[in-house]
Amino acid sequence: MKKVSASILSADFSRLADEVKNVEKAGADLIHFDIMDGHFVPNLTFGPMVVSSLRDKTKLPFDVHLMVENPENYFEALERGGAGYVTVQVEASLHLQRILCHIRERGMKSGAALNPATPISFLDYVMDDLDLILIMSVNPGFGAQEFIPAVLTKIKEVRQRIDKSGRNILLSVDGGLHPETSTAVIKAGADILVAGSSIFGSKDYARAIASISGESRANRNGLGSNM
Ligand code: DX5
Ligand code: ZN
């Protein structure tokens, strides 16, 4: 079953704890945090304090996406805040291999994110150091943008690369996912679907999560899923 990581960027920030509890009840598998610094991307969101403030509100793993310069400056606070996955943008990570090792040394799972125009050759020498690869299907910075179809080829190529490597690396896709786009993304080989506006903008979170994941609602909520 495909996992759904609910991006709280599109949640109601005045009631974040309730929003997180509601998506957990609705069948989400992970909570996705978009940390933006106003430098790497032209938007500013929140920092690790918001991650730690929500840690005791849900049992779901936290999937933290750092769209920041100098991502290593945030690792200590994210470890204390209970982050599960920490994903850095390769374009902002000058010493990518070392950065990924530092995430793992803190007991967290390491992820590398690629912007739509970034080639997958960035992954060539770090496959041993990765738990997750995040393919951006929009340019990072904002929710509710349109899915970029050219990224489908990249998702297929990364799927093949992971399978060929025999490593246990998750393939996550982030941006512009709703039932119409997620079908192709699942077919291309994604393990995790990150979605914000199509979940939090809907009236029925459970229905939205089920349709993004391509599963029936009963299936998701009845059987649950472990990560
Ligand atoms: C974009 C973020 C995404 C965003 C997705 O910079 O990394 O995680 O929240 O939002 P939607 O699902 O609305 O495209
Ligand atoms: Zn994200």
Side-chain angles (χ1 to χ4, degrees):
M1 192 188 293
K2 302 302 165 197
K3 310 284 180 189
V4 174
S5 190
S7 170
I8 61 162
L9 186 62
S10 295
D12 178 347
F13 272 46
S14 69
R15 349 175 345 261
L16 268 186
D18 288 340
E19 291 277 67
V20 163
K21 287 178 189 165
N22 288 340
V23 283
E24 178 173 21
K25 253 188 260 156
D29 300 288
L30 302 113
I31 303 293
H32 185 87
F33 292 82
D34 288 309
I35 297 188
M36 304 184 190
D37 66 352
H39 293 280
F40 178 69
V41 287
N43 194 11
L44 186 64
T45 54
F46 48 78
M49 276 174 68
V50 170
V51 177
S52 53
S53 74
L54 292 171
R55 188 52 288 180
D56 65 347
K57 311 295 181 215
T58 171
K59 291 197 169 56
L60 294 182
F62 282 179
D63 170 30
V64 179
H65 179 191
L66 291 172
M67 284 155 280
V68 300
E69 292 175 359
N70 304 311
E72 60 277 13
N73 292 348
Y74 299 77
F75 296 165
E76 188 189 344
L78 288 172
E79 180 189 356
R80 269 188 279 115
Y85 290 86
V86 174
T87 297
V88 297
Q89 289 283 154
V90 299
E91 305 84 359
S93 305
L94 191 53
H95 306 288
L96 179 62
Q97 198 274 341
R98 183 166 65 197
I99 283 175
L100 296 172
C101 289
H102 283 173
I103 297 172
R104 281 185 168 172
E105 280 161 15
R106 293 188 176 279
M108 303 180 289
K109 303 269 191 195
S110 59
L114 303 179
N115 277 343
T118 302
I120 67 171
S121 56
F122 271 77
L123 305 170
D124 281 355
Y125 306 105
V126 293
M127 293 293 279
D128 284 337
D129 308 297
L130 282 171
D131 297 301
L132 180 146
I133 296 168
L134 179 66
I135 302 298
M136 290 305 297
S137 38
V138 298
N139 288 292
F142 303 94
Q145 300 182 79
E146 213 168 298
F147 181 82
I148 299 171
V151 168
L152 284 171
T153 308
K154 193 197 271 189
I155 299 168
K156 287 182 199 152
E157 286 168 4
V158 175
R159 176 77 269 159
Q160 282 172 4
R161 182 173 288 212
I162 292 172
D163 291 347
K164 209 167 147 203
S165 77
R167 292 179 176 86
N168 189 18
I169 300 173
L170 291 166
L171 175 51
S172 183
V173 177
D174 184 6
L177 296 188
H178 46 74
E180 289 78 57
T181 49
S182 70
T183 310
V185 168
I186 292 168
K187 207 166 154 218
D191 300 307
I192 301 176
L193 306 152
V194 179
S197 53
S198 59
I199 297 174
F200 290 102
S202 83
K203 286 210 167 70
D204 183 342
Y205 292 176
R207 182 195 288 263
I209 289 168
S211 39
I212 290 162
S213 76
E215 299 283 334
S216 79
R217 185 174 171 163
N219 215 9
R220 287 197 69 80
N221 295 332
L223 301 174
S225 60
N226 297 313
M227 173 143 263

